[in-house]
Amino acid sequence: MANFYLDNKDLKFHLDHPLMKKIIALKENNFVDKDKFEYAPVDFEDALDSYDKVLEIVGDICGEIIGPNAESVDHEGPEVINGRVKYARGTQENHEALANAGLIGMSLPRQYGGLNFSMVPYVMAAELVSRADAGFANIWGLQDCAETLNEFASAELKNDFLPRFHKGATAAMDLTEPDAGSDLQAVMLKASYDEKRGEWMLNGVKRFITNGDADVSLVLARSEDGTTDGRGLSLFVYDKAHGGMTVRRIENKLGIKGSPTCELVFKNAPAKLVGDRKLGLIKYVMSLMNGARLGVGAQSVGIAEAAYREGLAYAKERAQFGKPIIQFPAVYEMLTDMEVKVKASRSLLYETTRLVDVYKTYSHLATERTLDKVEREELKTYQRLADVYTPLLKLFASEYCNQVAYDSLQIHGGSGYMKDYPIERIYRDARITNIYEGTTQLQVVAAIRGVTTGVYLKQMRDYETQELRPDLDYIRRDVIEMTDQYEKAVTLVNEVNGKEENNDYLDFHARRLVEMAGHIIMVYLLLNDTMRDAEFEKFAELMARTAKAENQKRMYYIQNFELKNLGMYKK
Ligand SMILES: Cc1cc2nc3c(=O)[nH]c(=O)nc-3n(C[C@H](O)[C@H](O)[C@H](O)COP(=O)(O)OP(=O)(O)OC[C@H]3O[C@@H](n4cnc5c(N)ncnc54)[C@H](O)[C@@H]3O)c2cc1C
């Protein structure tokens, strides 16, 4: 029996992280639910045990149902019939299996039928589902929308919408339009208040909407007449049962074929305002997208894990020149590089998730009681870190996932190019991860704040002081040197940029600086992992080698780049 949770011991390792004690204590708020709900945990061990048990169920469904369905879903795909989406047979079966096991709305409070799970097990489940079928992971992962409703909607809306998720309701996030992609401030779909009906009506077109025909949709729309920027946008919740929206078509695309990408037409579609007017983009969608970026981080790690496993299995079984190809240095080097990337991005994924967990749980507690001074400070610190770790994670996990899928296909040789092996599908699926939920370039735009405000540097210096096994001091010395080099690179870029009227020079080097920071942070995270499991030593050392070489390349580029060189690149 295949179980995607039990066959990967790194997952339990990350679930058992020491910070989980704090996260669960905050999330369960002194375990107040234990007298109200039979299935609520009574203490920390009980809560962790329930995470473990539920993940085992997810792992089983992934190994036994979702994974085996992935190939047929990729071939069959969804279709549009009379303006409505019909999922592929396997997609329907996957969804029913997860809904019947109570795995939709996992992180919602128990009063709405949820499991009140913290983000770590939820994100872990997303990684598992993505390893099984990245396209289906989108349909399941859009339950993030329920989180946004829980965070910002009125009690009335929460009571109306949230209990539906537990019963299997699907969701969609309707942001993109033909002229509003990376720049969501340009959204034009109109929301107007109908005085007679006493409700908001939506009119316009949305494009590239995953699972667009969902039961519940969050729609970003222009509610303020005469505005053209983000301050005129509000967020609405739309219930498909009320009509007014049709699916014009679904896109014929490269990968994640089981996930319907829809063009939607809203014609007098009634909808309800979420939270306050004008905060749609600047507050609610930012929060929704940060959650979704964590989801794509998990999706990327899941895809990379699947690709690595396929490459390893093939390299063991394929023989050339009289021996298995895994014995050739060129092949085993690729495999080890892939493994390092999977481990490093997974450590970054769960570190980021823990930061988000603490800050989100504090924010939620703050709506129920006054936080004391220490708690308020912690909230601020964790939020500041979560804000710069989330784009870093999305950038690295998605780029690494593409590289791992690329190398895995290479290991398959000609067979990898054929539809006979899963890697052909996995490779196509990987390609979307660094495009949606903000392209890699847009993650850099968000992450560069971590560079210019010094948040990454401070965090590196904090990691520097953490306890470490003395025998690994040689790696610590290397990474301290890399941190000094990073600091110098930031100063150099800032100095030249300061002489300019615009930020082009900083923007030009931004990805280099963000990547330097990311490499260093991943080495530190793997070093920390060695404190709990000696097996990470090898990966910390290998990541440190790669990081050193990669950062030197970037430093060389920055040091030898004069302002006038920018002109050579301009088109
Ligand atoms: C399969 C799929 C599913 C999707 N699902 C959803 C969904 O469920 N909901 C939803 O709302 N949207 C969804 N999207 C839309 C997706 O989020 C956008 O496609 C994405 O954000 C990029 O926008 P764009 O395609 O308009 O590209 P553009 O914004 O036109 O970007 C084109 C290129 O320009 C670069 N660029 C743009 N601005 C900058 C800048 N400031 N600095 C540097 N480079 C820049 C980009 O990095 C990119 O390389 C989906 C898209 C796809 C393909």
Side-chain angles (χ1 to χ4, degrees), residues 29 48 88 119 139 154-155 160 197 234 267 272 289 359 362 429 470 488 491 493 497 503 549-550 555 560 569:
N29 197 12
L48 200 61
M119 293 298 288
I139 295 173
S154 64
D160 182 0
R197 295 173 60 139
S234 303
K267 271 193 195 150
K272 303 236 160 59
M289 285 205 358
Y359 125 68
Y362 268 135
D429 288 353
K488 199 170 152 196
T491 309
V493 172
N497 194 58
N503 265 341
E550 290 293 327
M555 186 63 178
N560 294 285
Y569 285 87

PDB file of all heavy atoms in Angstrom, residues 29 48 88 119 139 154-155 160 197 234 267 272 289 359 362 429 470 488 491 493 497 503 549-550 555 560 569:
ATOM      1  N   ASN A  29      -5.304  27.735  21.927  1.00  0.00           N
ATOM      2  CA  ASN A  29      -5.736  28.698  22.926  1.00  0.00           C
ATOM      3  C   ASN A  29      -6.115  28.023  24.259  1.00  0.00           C
ATOM      4  O   ASN A  29      -7.278  28.056  24.678  1.00  0.00           O
ATOM      5  CB  ASN A  29      -6.923  29.489  22.340  1.00  0.00           C
ATOM      6  CG  ASN A  29      -7.199  30.765  23.084  1.00  0.00           C
ATOM      7  OD1 ASN A  29      -6.385  31.194  23.903  1.00  0.00           O
ATOM      8  ND2 ASN A  29      -8.358  31.353  22.813  1.00  0.00           N
ATOM      9  N   LEU A  48      -0.572  17.013  18.304  1.00  0.00           N
ATOM     10  CA  LEU A  48       0.448  16.571  17.348  1.00  0.00           C
ATOM     11  C   LEU A  48       0.113  15.176  16.817  1.00  0.00           C
ATOM     12  O   LEU A  48       0.286  14.879  15.629  1.00  0.00           O
ATOM     13  CB  LEU A  48       1.831  16.573  18.024  1.00  0.00           C
ATOM     14  CG  LEU A  48       3.018  16.604  17.089  1.00  0.00           C
ATOM     15  CD1 LEU A  48       3.035  17.856  16.219  1.00  0.00           C
ATOM     16  CD2 LEU A  48       4.337  16.529  17.871  1.00  0.00           C
ATOM     17  N   ALA A  88     -12.731  15.868 -14.926  1.00  0.00           N
ATOM     18  CA  ALA A  88     -12.398  14.514 -15.390  1.00  0.00           C
ATOM     19  C   ALA A  88     -12.864  13.517 -14.313  1.00  0.00           C
ATOM     20  O   ALA A  88     -12.984  13.894 -13.140  1.00  0.00           O
ATOM     21  CB  ALA A  88     -10.891  14.394 -15.583  1.00  0.00           C
ATOM     22  N   MET A 119      -1.064  25.839  10.222  1.00  0.00           N
ATOM     23  CA  MET A 119      -0.659  25.854   8.812  1.00  0.00           C
ATOM     24  C   MET A 119       0.294  24.706   8.465  1.00  0.00           C
ATOM     25  O   MET A 119       0.292  24.211   7.347  1.00  0.00           O
ATOM     26  CB  MET A 119       0.047  27.180   8.476  1.00  0.00           C
ATOM     27  CG  MET A 119      -0.821  28.399   8.537  1.00  0.00           C
ATOM     28  SD  MET A 119      -2.156  28.327   7.361  1.00  0.00           S
ATOM     29  CE  MET A 119      -1.280  28.581   5.832  1.00  0.00           C
ATOM     30  N   ILE A 139      -7.136  22.413  -7.110  1.00  0.00           N
ATOM     31  CA  ILE A 139      -8.572  22.351  -6.789  1.00  0.00           C
ATOM     32  C   ILE A 139      -8.734  22.194  -5.276  1.00  0.00           C
ATOM     33  O   ILE A 139      -9.540  22.864  -4.642  1.00  0.00           O
ATOM     34  CB  ILE A 139      -9.228  21.195  -7.569  1.00  0.00           C
ATOM     35  CG1 ILE A 139      -9.147  21.504  -9.074  1.00  0.00           C
ATOM     36  CG2 ILE A 139     -10.664  20.959  -7.131  1.00  0.00           C
ATOM     37  CD1 ILE A 139      -9.608  20.390  -9.973  1.00  0.00           C
ATOM     38  N   SER A 154     -17.617  39.114   7.696  1.00  0.00           N
ATOM     39  CA  SER A 154     -18.482  39.328   8.865  1.00  0.00           C
ATOM     40  C   SER A 154     -18.932  37.966   9.419  1.00  0.00           C
ATOM     41  O   SER A 154     -18.868  36.947   8.717  1.00  0.00           O
ATOM     42  CB  SER A 154     -19.718  40.115   8.434  1.00  0.00           C
ATOM     43  OG  SER A 154     -20.451  39.320   7.515  1.00  0.00           O
ATOM     44  N   ALA A 155     -19.426  37.972  10.650  1.00  0.00           N
ATOM     45  CA  ALA A 155     -19.907  36.732  11.274  1.00  0.00           C
ATOM     46  C   ALA A 155     -21.015  36.115  10.421  1.00  0.00           C
ATOM     47  O   ALA A 155     -21.088  34.892  10.246  1.00  0.00           O
ATOM     48  CB  ALA A 155     -20.398  37.015  12.685  1.00  0.00           C
ATOM     49  N   ASP A 160     -22.634  31.687   6.934  1.00  0.00           N
ATOM     50  CA  ASP A 160     -23.269  31.255   5.697  1.00  0.00           C
ATOM     51  C   ASP A 160     -22.324  30.352   4.871  1.00  0.00           C
ATOM     52  O   ASP A 160     -22.699  29.252   4.457  1.00  0.00           O
ATOM     53  CB  ASP A 160     -23.647  32.505   4.882  1.00  0.00           C
ATOM     54  CG  ASP A 160     -24.356  32.149   3.586  1.00  0.00           C
ATOM     55  OD1 ASP A 160     -24.558  30.942   3.326  1.00  0.00           O
ATOM     56  OD2 ASP A 160     -24.696  33.072   2.817  1.00  0.00           O
ATOM     57  N   ARG A 197     -32.406  46.067  -5.008  1.00  0.00           N
ATOM     58  CA  ARG A 197     -32.224  44.694  -4.521  1.00  0.00           C
ATOM     59  C   ARG A 197     -31.460  44.656  -3.202  1.00  0.00           C
ATOM     60  O   ARG A 197     -31.420  43.639  -2.515  1.00  0.00           O
ATOM     61  CB  ARG A 197     -31.451  43.856  -5.553  1.00  0.00           C
ATOM     62  CG  ARG A 197     -32.216  43.676  -6.849  1.00  0.00           C
ATOM     63  CD  ARG A 197     -31.356  42.992  -7.896  1.00  0.00           C
ATOM     64  NE  ARG A 197     -30.904  41.669  -7.462  1.00  0.00           N
ATOM     65  CZ  ARG A 197     -30.843  40.596  -8.223  1.00  0.00           C
ATOM     66  NH1 ARG A 197     -31.217  40.698  -9.478  1.00  0.00           N
ATOM     67  NH2 ARG A 197     -30.406  39.448  -7.772  1.00  0.00           N
ATOM     68  N   SER A 234     -12.542  46.339  -4.275  1.00  0.00           N
ATOM     69  CA  SER A 234     -13.053  45.659  -3.077  1.00  0.00           C
ATOM     70  C   SER A 234     -13.138  44.169  -3.373  1.00  0.00           C
ATOM     71  O   SER A 234     -13.086  43.743  -4.529  1.00  0.00           O
ATOM     72  CB  SER A 234     -14.443  46.199  -2.706  1.00  0.00           C
ATOM     73  OG  SER A 234     -14.381  47.592  -2.519  1.00  0.00           O
ATOM     74  N   LYS A 267     -22.510  38.554 -15.529  1.00  0.00           N
ATOM     75  CA  LYS A 267     -23.556  39.460 -16.019  1.00  0.00           C
ATOM     76  C   LYS A 267     -24.581  39.607 -14.916  1.00  0.00           C
ATOM     77  O   LYS A 267     -25.326  38.664 -14.631  1.00  0.00           O
ATOM     78  CB  LYS A 267     -24.228  38.857 -17.256  1.00  0.00           C
ATOM     79  CG  LYS A 267     -23.556  39.242 -18.538  1.00  0.00           C
ATOM     80  CD  LYS A 267     -24.414  38.904 -19.738  1.00  0.00           C
ATOM     81  CE  LYS A 267     -23.557  38.974 -20.992  1.00  0.00           C
ATOM     82  NZ  LYS A 267     -23.985  38.068 -22.030  1.00  0.00           N
ATOM     83  N   LYS A 272     -21.600  39.351  -2.352  1.00  0.00           N
ATOM     84  CA  LYS A 272     -21.575  40.036  -1.042  1.00  0.00           C
ATOM     85  C   LYS A 272     -20.184  40.619  -0.799  1.00  0.00           C
ATOM     86  O   LYS A 272     -19.158  39.994  -1.113  1.00  0.00           O
ATOM     87  CB  LYS A 272     -21.887  39.029   0.070  1.00  0.00           C
ATOM     88  CG  LYS A 272     -23.226  38.310  -0.116  1.00  0.00           C
ATOM     89  CD  LYS A 272     -24.096  38.503   1.105  1.00  0.00           C
ATOM     90  CE  LYS A 272     -25.572  38.261   0.854  1.00  0.00           C
ATOM     91  NZ  LYS A 272     -25.914  36.935   0.368  1.00  0.00           N
ATOM     92  N   MET A 289      -3.166  36.142  -1.354  1.00  0.00           N
ATOM     93  CA  MET A 289      -2.067  35.740  -2.242  1.00  0.00           C
ATOM     94  C   MET A 289      -0.872  35.215  -1.458  1.00  0.00           C
ATOM     95  O   MET A 289      -0.183  34.313  -1.913  1.00  0.00           O
ATOM     96  CB  MET A 289      -1.658  36.894  -3.150  1.00  0.00           C
ATOM     97  CG  MET A 289      -2.702  37.048  -4.212  1.00  0.00           C
ATOM     98  SD  MET A 289      -2.291  37.775  -5.774  1.00  0.00           S
ATOM     99  CE  MET A 289      -0.683  38.255  -5.764  1.00  0.00           C
ATOM    100  N   TYR A 359       2.402  34.199  13.258  1.00  0.00           N
ATOM    101  CA  TYR A 359       1.864  35.554  13.077  1.00  0.00           C
ATOM    102  C   TYR A 359       0.347  35.550  12.819  1.00  0.00           C
ATOM    103  O   TYR A 359      -0.396  36.345  13.377  1.00  0.00           O
ATOM    104  CB  TYR A 359       2.692  36.298  12.013  1.00  0.00           C
ATOM    105  CG  TYR A 359       1.959  36.887  10.845  1.00  0.00           C
ATOM    106  CD1 TYR A 359       1.097  37.968  11.010  1.00  0.00           C
ATOM    107  CD2 TYR A 359       2.148  36.392   9.567  1.00  0.00           C
ATOM    108  CE1 TYR A 359       0.419  38.507   9.934  1.00  0.00           C
ATOM    109  CE2 TYR A 359       1.491  36.928   8.490  1.00  0.00           C
ATOM    110  CZ  TYR A 359       0.615  37.976   8.680  1.00  0.00           C
ATOM    111  OH  TYR A 359      -0.055  38.503   7.627  1.00  0.00           O
ATOM    112  N   TYR A 362      -1.495  34.740  16.141  1.00  0.00           N
ATOM    113  CA  TYR A 362      -1.537  35.934  17.004  1.00  0.00           C
ATOM    114  C   TYR A 362      -2.570  36.936  16.480  1.00  0.00           C
ATOM    115  O   TYR A 362      -3.323  37.516  17.252  1.00  0.00           O
ATOM    116  CB  TYR A 362      -0.173  36.615  17.059  1.00  0.00           C
ATOM    117  CG  TYR A 362       0.719  36.163  18.195  1.00  0.00           C
ATOM    118  CD1 TYR A 362       2.057  35.871  17.981  1.00  0.00           C
ATOM    119  CD2 TYR A 362       0.224  36.042  19.503  1.00  0.00           C
ATOM    120  CE1 TYR A 362       2.884  35.458  19.019  1.00  0.00           C
ATOM    121  CE2 TYR A 362       1.044  35.630  20.545  1.00  0.00           C
ATOM    122  CZ  TYR A 362       2.371  35.344  20.298  1.00  0.00           C
ATOM    123  OH  TYR A 362       3.192  34.940  21.322  1.00  0.00           O
ATOM    124  N   ASP A 429       3.902  19.945 -15.718  1.00  0.00           N
ATOM    125  CA  ASP A 429       3.216  20.526 -14.555  1.00  0.00           C
ATOM    126  C   ASP A 429       4.105  21.532 -13.814  1.00  0.00           C
ATOM    127  O   ASP A 429       3.637  22.557 -13.326  1.00  0.00           O
ATOM    128  CB  ASP A 429       2.800  19.420 -13.565  1.00  0.00           C
ATOM    129  CG  ASP A 429       1.630  18.577 -14.080  1.00  0.00           C
ATOM    130  OD1 ASP A 429       1.062  18.939 -15.140  1.00  0.00           O
ATOM    131  OD2 ASP A 429       1.277  17.584 -13.423  1.00  0.00           O
ATOM    132  N   PRO A 470      29.828  21.358  17.127  1.00  0.00           N
ATOM    133  CA  PRO A 470      31.185  21.905  16.901  1.00  0.00           C
ATOM    134  C   PRO A 470      31.867  21.300  15.679  1.00  0.00           C
ATOM    135  O   PRO A 470      32.607  21.992  14.978  1.00  0.00           O
ATOM    136  CB  PRO A 470      31.948  21.533  18.174  1.00  0.00           C
ATOM    137  CG  PRO A 470      30.904  21.190  19.188  1.00  0.00           C
ATOM    138  CD  PRO A 470      29.677  20.769  18.463  1.00  0.00           C
ATOM    139  N   LYS A 488      28.366  43.140   1.742  1.00  0.00           N
ATOM    140  CA  LYS A 488      29.177  44.006   0.883  1.00  0.00           C
ATOM    141  C   LYS A 488      28.467  44.243  -0.465  1.00  0.00           C
ATOM    142  O   LYS A 488      28.439  45.366  -0.981  1.00  0.00           O
ATOM    143  CB  LYS A 488      30.538  43.324   0.641  1.00  0.00           C
ATOM    144  CG  LYS A 488      31.601  44.261   0.172  1.00  0.00           C
ATOM    145  CD  LYS A 488      32.954  43.551   0.200  1.00  0.00           C
ATOM    146  CE  LYS A 488      33.864  44.148  -0.845  1.00  0.00           C
ATOM    147  NZ  LYS A 488      35.015  43.321  -1.137  1.00  0.00           N
ATOM    148  N   THR A 491      25.739  46.763  -0.047  1.00  0.00           N
ATOM    149  CA  THR A 491      26.284  48.124   0.085  1.00  0.00           C
ATOM    150  C   THR A 491      26.710  48.661  -1.279  1.00  0.00           C
ATOM    151  O   THR A 491      26.397  49.805  -1.632  1.00  0.00           O
ATOM    152  CB  THR A 491      27.509  48.111   1.046  1.00  0.00           C
ATOM    153  OG1 THR A 491      27.112  47.449   2.239  1.00  0.00           O
ATOM    154  CG2 THR A 491      27.992  49.506   1.373  1.00  0.00           C
ATOM    155  N   VAL A 493      25.664  47.872  -4.294  1.00  0.00           N
ATOM    156  CA  VAL A 493      24.514  48.183  -5.161  1.00  0.00           C
ATOM    157  C   VAL A 493      23.818  49.449  -4.658  1.00  0.00           C
ATOM    158  O   VAL A 493      23.473  50.343  -5.443  1.00  0.00           O
ATOM    159  CB  VAL A 493      23.528  46.988  -5.226  1.00  0.00           C
ATOM    160  CG1 VAL A 493      22.251  47.388  -5.965  1.00  0.00           C
ATOM    161  CG2 VAL A 493      24.177  45.791  -5.908  1.00  0.00           C
ATOM    162  N   ASN A 497      23.213  52.890  -6.738  1.00  0.00           N
ATOM    163  CA  ASN A 497      21.800  53.207  -6.946  1.00  0.00           C
ATOM    164  C   ASN A 497      21.450  54.586  -6.372  1.00  0.00           C
ATOM    165  O   ASN A 497      20.650  55.319  -6.943  1.00  0.00           O
ATOM    166  CB  ASN A 497      20.927  52.136  -6.293  1.00  0.00           C
ATOM    167  CG  ASN A 497      19.494  52.221  -6.745  1.00  0.00           C
ATOM    168  OD1 ASN A 497      19.213  52.131  -7.930  1.00  0.00           O
ATOM    169  ND2 ASN A 497      18.589  52.426  -5.809  1.00  0.00           N
ATOM    170  N   ASN A 503      15.271  53.734  -9.643  1.00  0.00           N
ATOM    171  CA  ASN A 503      15.808  52.548  -8.980  1.00  0.00           C
ATOM    172  C   ASN A 503      16.271  51.477  -9.960  1.00  0.00           C
ATOM    173  O   ASN A 503      16.400  50.326  -9.575  1.00  0.00           O
ATOM    174  CB  ASN A 503      14.719  51.939  -8.081  1.00  0.00           C
ATOM    175  CG  ASN A 503      14.855  52.444  -6.659  1.00  0.00           C
ATOM    176  OD1 ASN A 503      15.914  52.937  -6.267  1.00  0.00           O
ATOM    177  ND2 ASN A 503      13.789  52.320  -5.892  1.00  0.00           N
ATOM    178  N   ALA A 549      29.591  28.895  -4.451  1.00  0.00           N
ATOM    179  CA  ALA A 549      29.899  29.082  -5.872  1.00  0.00           C
ATOM    180  C   ALA A 549      28.884  30.026  -6.520  1.00  0.00           C
ATOM    181  O   ALA A 549      29.255  30.947  -7.272  1.00  0.00           O
ATOM    182  CB  ALA A 549      29.899  27.728  -6.572  1.00  0.00           C
ATOM    183  N   GLU A 550      27.604  29.826  -6.217  1.00  0.00           N
ATOM    184  CA  GLU A 550      26.557  30.660  -6.829  1.00  0.00           C
ATOM    185  C   GLU A 550      26.690  32.109  -6.383  1.00  0.00           C
ATOM    186  O   GLU A 550      26.509  33.038  -7.178  1.00  0.00           O
ATOM    187  CB  GLU A 550      25.165  30.126  -6.445  1.00  0.00           C
ATOM    188  CG  GLU A 550      24.800  28.801  -7.091  1.00  0.00           C
ATOM    189  CD  GLU A 550      24.637  28.918  -8.596  1.00  0.00           C
ATOM    190  OE1 GLU A 550      24.205  29.977  -9.072  1.00  0.00           O
ATOM    191  OE2 GLU A 550      24.950  27.945  -9.321  1.00  0.00           O
ATOM    192  N   MET A 555      28.467  37.924  -6.969  1.00  0.00           N
ATOM    193  CA  MET A 555      29.320  39.002  -6.439  1.00  0.00           C
ATOM    194  C   MET A 555      30.259  39.513  -7.534  1.00  0.00           C
ATOM    195  O   MET A 555      30.445  40.723  -7.692  1.00  0.00           O
ATOM    196  CB  MET A 555      30.132  38.464  -5.253  1.00  0.00           C
ATOM    197  CG  MET A 555      30.938  39.531  -4.550  1.00  0.00           C
ATOM    198  SD  MET A 555      29.830  40.774  -3.831  1.00  0.00           S
ATOM    199  CE  MET A 555      30.992  41.842  -3.034  1.00  0.00           C
ATOM    200  N   ASN A 560      31.864  43.940 -10.909  1.00  0.00           N
ATOM    201  CA  ASN A 560      32.419  44.322 -12.214  1.00  0.00           C
ATOM    202  C   ASN A 560      31.375  44.945 -13.129  1.00  0.00           C
ATOM    203  O   ASN A 560      31.477  44.869 -14.344  1.00  0.00           O
ATOM    204  CB  ASN A 560      33.053  43.097 -12.877  1.00  0.00           C
ATOM    205  CG  ASN A 560      34.255  42.637 -12.104  1.00  0.00           C
ATOM    206  OD1 ASN A 560      35.309  43.250 -12.153  1.00  0.00           O
ATOM    207  ND2 ASN A 560      34.073  41.596 -11.316  1.00  0.00           N
ATOM    208  N   TYR A 569      22.103  46.607 -22.012  1.00  0.00           N
ATOM    209  CA  TYR A 569      20.984  45.668 -21.874  1.00  0.00           C
ATOM    210  C   TYR A 569      19.654  46.254 -22.348  1.00  0.00           C
ATOM    211  O   TYR A 569      18.737  45.526 -22.665  1.00  0.00           O
ATOM    212  CB  TYR A 569      20.829  45.251 -20.406  1.00  0.00           C
ATOM    213  CG  TYR A 569      21.892  44.273 -19.960  1.00  0.00           C
ATOM    214  CD1 TYR A 569      23.115  44.722 -19.486  1.00  0.00           C
ATOM    215  CD2 TYR A 569      21.661  42.902 -20.034  1.00  0.00           C
ATOM    216  CE1 TYR A 569      24.090  43.839 -19.083  1.00  0.00           C
ATOM    217  CE2 TYR A 569      22.638  42.009 -19.633  1.00  0.00           C
ATOM    218  CZ  TYR A 569      23.862  42.479 -19.165  1.00  0.00           C
ATOM    219  OH  TYR A 569      24.812  41.594 -18.768  1.00  0.00           O
TER     220      TYR A 569
END
